[in-house]
Amino acid sequence: MSLDNETGLDKPGIRVRPVTGLVAADYFVPGYFVWAVLIANLARIGYEEKTMYMAAYDWRLSFQNTEVRDQTLSRIKSNIELLVATNGGNRVVVIPHSMGVLYFLHFMKWVEAPPPMGGGGGPNWCAKHIKAVMNIGGPFLGVPKAVAGLFSSEAKDVAVARAIAPDVLDSDFLGLQTLRHLMRMTRTWDSTMSMIPKGGDTIWGDLNWSPEDGFECKAKKQKTNDSEISKDVNGENVKVQPEPVNYGRLVSFGKEIAEAPSSEIEQIEFRDAVKGRNIAHSNTSCRDIWTEYQELGWGGIKAVADYKVYTAGSIVDLLHFVAPRMMERGSVHFSYGIADNLDDPKYGHYKYWSNPLETKLPKAPDMEIFSMYGVGIPTERAYVYKLAQQAECYIPFQIDTSAEGGDENSCFKGGVYLANGDETVPVLSAGYMCAKGWRGKTRFNPSGSKTYVREYNHSPPSNLLEGRGTQSGAHVDIMGNFALIEDIIRIAAGATGEELGGDQVYSDIFKWSEKIKLKL
């Protein structure tokens, strides 16, 4: 599954390719559905193989390289044109999920851009061919989880497993070294870099501020007659103050740094630090699990920890420092900033096409865009790290799972700060563009394509017989959510966003969007 570390394409002599057709993603493994429930429901209203097309792509590659190697973008273009031509000119409804949301954003720019970089469809291609784009669980602005994955091959679930059984994932016994093999592999997948948070501190917040400030994590749903008042030992009423959470601090070294006033944090610049002696450079046992951390040395590791706290604005520099070859390869294909002037010719380059803050939506005023995602599940938003035990071939940083919040209602659990989302994508990333960035005529949506936010409040299955639940808001399980499926079927049967009822919102996405000071 690893790709070539220099080119981001196939390793010599190895070819792994995506399955094609509807079976490409109906089930992940037998019994674990992905698209199967939705496909079956679309079939009930008359859809079949000739009116449905599964756009399978190699999700390891950068989006532009799927075209270079497999002509995937060209195949999507010709298949959409065929669907429209053979169905009386009716435009298509596109349903991307997760990373596919970013991939289709890239496609909409590629298809209209002139060759050789683009597909040559011309400026009206999307208006002519696409009725609606129904984005499910879209990480439009990236996910903090990607930072933890690239930085230490962890996320909340892996960090917990590592804490419970450290000798399994970190063991050198029998050459298991699971996390290091995982890092070596995933750092060859250019697509992982598409998920790094976009928009810097303007979107995600800084040392002192974040849009979600004031969000409260509750262990249970509050009933209407519950109060936020508790009693002290003498029976007197005491107002419970929620813990302050600094979501803008995406990576902090130590809980005390995550919570300290910014004026008390002394940061030592890491960007120009001299990397120390090569760790295990001559150790042949490390060759099979070689990561760029072996070249960082003690000096580089210390420099990273001494900077103490990283926001979305400094995360990209951090990743350039700890994984320079990976990021050099990735920076050809992806960008994470905010465009000052979208008419600047440089934004015609494909590396900007999957960043909604550095590109315009197509000129398609009748095309509708939906942001559909689950809410009500604690979702990874920021991390507290510590230095790992020093050893050869090791990953020097790990999430500090021993760091905890004050009580069961804390947003801080096992070294991870949690916010509202679908367990993978925070509300901020999934909802902001449709709630504010593209709402009405903005510089990112100059033709005023209509946008809708459709949130689905998570309700877990009440018993084991319900399987993964029909009201789930979880990132993958939402594909079986009856309310989401009904919305898609109605649009696929000809309805508009207005006829669905417009926005359906349970979170504070509109309030949070207002706090973001982005020129629209």
Side-chain angles (χ1 to χ4, degrees):
M1 290 294 284
S2 295
L3 295 167
D4 186 277
N5 219 355
E6 300 298 322
T7 64
L9 295 165
D10 291 329
K11 279 186 168 182
I14 298 175
R15 282 187 297 172
V16 177
R17 295 292 182 268
V19 178
T20 57
L22 294 179
V23 296
D26 53 354
Y27 291 92
F28 175 58
V29 291
Y32 190 92
F33 70 80
V34 184
W35 290 91
V37 180
L38 185 54
I39 291 168
N41 278 279
L42 286 166
R44 286 173 176 267
I45 63 164
Y47 278 86
E48 54 182 312
E49 192 84 45
K50 68 182 181 184
T51 49
M52 274 194 285
Y53 165 60
M54 177 74 78
Y57 67 103
D58 190 332
W59 41 260
R60 301 171 302 161
L61 301 180
S62 75
F63 305 152
Q64 192 70 5
N65 271 347
T66 63
E67 175 66 13
V68 170
R69 197 193 71 183
D70 302 332
Q71 293 76 53
T72 306
L73 297 168
S74 292
R75 292 169 198 273
I76 295 173
K77 176 177 183 274
S78 57
N79 272 286
I80 289 176
E81 288 170 347
L82 181 66
L83 287 172
V84 173
T86 55
N87 287 282
N90 286 319
R91 294 173 297 152
V92 300
V93 175
V94 184
I95 313 167
H97 173 251
S98 197
M99 188 193 288
V101 167
L102 300 179
Y103 188 72
F104 197 74
L105 267 184
H106 182 97
F107 171 83
M108 287 195 291
K109 293 302 287 186
W110 173 88
V111 72
E112 296 191 343
M117 196 181 289
N124 298 314
W125 191 93
C126 290
K128 184 179 175 185
H129 292 93
I130 302 173
K131 173 188 188 286
V133 186
M134 307 193 77
N135 302 290
I136 304 173
F140 286 105
L141 301 175
V143 285
K145 208 171 188 174
V147 174
L150 291 169
F151 189 49
S152 63
S153 276
E154 294 176 291
K156 179 167 165 275
D157 44 3
V158 175
V160 169
R162 191 179 188 183
I164 294 169
D167 294 337
V168 177
L169 291 178
D170 296 328
S171 172
D172 291 332
F173 177 64
L174 298 179
L176 285 175
Q177 302 152 330
T178 311
L179 283 183
R180 282 154 284 179
H181 279 299
L182 187 66
M183 176 172 283
R184 178 183 58 80
M185 177 177 69
T186 55
R187 281 193 176 181
T188 68
W189 299 348
D190 288 351
S191 62
T192 56
M193 289 174 274
S194 71
M195 312 287 269
I196 293 170
K198 302 173 176 75
D201 296 358
T202 303
I203 298 292
W204 296 91
D206 56 24
L207 297 186
N208 300 308
W209 164 88
S210 71
E212 302 102 320
D213 282 349
F215 175 70
E216 294 179 32
C217 300
K218 294 190 177 71
K220 64 180 179 66
K221 281 204 176 115
Q222 231 182 329
K223 294 175 184 160
T224 49
N225 59 352
D226 282 356
S227 73
E228 285 294 297
I229 307 289
S230 66
K231 305 218 181 264
D232 68 6
V233 287
N234 299 318
E236 299 293 323
N237 285 340
V238 179
K239 184 83 170 73
V240 177
Q241 290 295 334
E243 290 178 314
V245 178
N246 297 311
Y247 285 124
R249 305 178 188 190
L250 288 189
V251 170
S252 306
F253 277 87
K255 183 185 177 188
E256 66 284 356
I257 296 295
E259 296 176 345
S262 59
S263 58
E264 295 176 12
I265 301 174
E266 187 181 339
Q267 294 178 283
I268 301 171
E269 185 54 60
F270 72 95
R271 291 171 178 86
D272 301 317
V274 177
K275 295 179 181 180
R277 65 179 179 81
N278 290 352
I279 307 169
H281 195 70
S282 59
N283 189 332
T284 52
S285 69
C286 291
R287 295 278 163 84
D288 288 342
I289 52 162
W290 187 267
T291 70
E292 292 186 73
Y293 277 130
Q294 272 81 62
E295 297 168 21
L296 200 57
W298 306 126
I301 292 166
K302 186 174 184 304
V304 169
D306 284 347
Y307 193 70
K308 295 188 176 66
V309 58
Y310 297 82
T311 66
S314 50
I315 281 292
V316 176
D317 289 340
L318 169 66
L319 293 172
H320 270 287
F321 186 78
V322 301
R325 282 205 298 272
M326 176 190 80
M327 290 298 286
E328 186 180 353
R329 210 176 62 240
S331 60
V332 175
H333 294 276
F334 301 106
S335 178
Y336 312 103
I338 299 172
D340 288 326
N341 174 18
L342 286 162
D343 295 320
D344 189 321
K346 79 172 187 178
Y347 292 111
H349 191 277
Y350 60 76
K351 78 177 196 176
Y352 301 105
W353 291 348
S354 61
N355 181 356
L357 302 174
E358 292 184 302
T359 191
K360 297 178 189 176
L361 286 177
K363 188 179 174 184
D366 295 330
M367 179 179 78
E368 296 187 322
I369 299 179
F370 295 82
S371 193
M372 315 169 79
Y373 54 92
V375 297
I377 307 180
T379 301
E380 294 167 53
R381 179 64 170 81
Y383 302 88
V384 168
Y385 268 84
K386 66 179 180 180
L387 287 173
Q389 288 181 322
Q390 294 178 359
E392 290 185 324
C393 318
Y394 77 129
I395 297 171
F397 311 108
Q398 68 182 85
I399 295 170
D400 185 0
T401 51
S402 67
E404 291 285 349
D407 58 43
E408 64 171 356
N409 289 323
S410 173
C411 291
F412 183 48
K413 288 186 168 62
V416 181
Y417 282 100
L418 304 163
N420 198 357
D422 69 1
E423 206 168 32
T424 296
V425 184
V427 164
L428 192 66
S429 180
Y432 174 75
M433 291 311 296
C434 278
K436 188 82 190 291
W438 288 329
R439 184 63 55 117
K441 280 194 179 184
T442 71
R443 65 194 185 102
F444 303 109
N445 179 15
S447 69
S449 298
K450 282 202 172 105
T451 63
Y452 300 97
V453 176
R454 301 287 292 176
E455 294 184 345
Y456 305 88
N457 213 0
H458 175 68
S459 182
S462 55
N463 57 61
L464 289 173
L465 296 176
E466 279 190 37
R468 287 151 65 196
T470 57
Q471 298 178 64
S472 177
H475 189 63
V476 177
D477 293 356
I478 197 172
M479 303 291 275
N481 183 303
F482 281 6
L484 175 129
I485 290 170
E486 183 182 338
D487 283 351
I488 291 172
I489 284 176
R490 289 179 65 190
I491 297 295
T496 64
E498 285 296 323
E499 288 166 337
L500 285 194
D503 297 319
Q504 172 180 279
V505 175
Y506 300 98
S507 74
D508 287 327
I509 184 59
F510 286 113
K511 186 172 88 175
W512 294 342
S513 296
E514 287 302 319
K515 293 183 184 178
I516 293 172
K517 303 305 177 198
L518 177 65
K519 187 182 81 178
L520 299 176

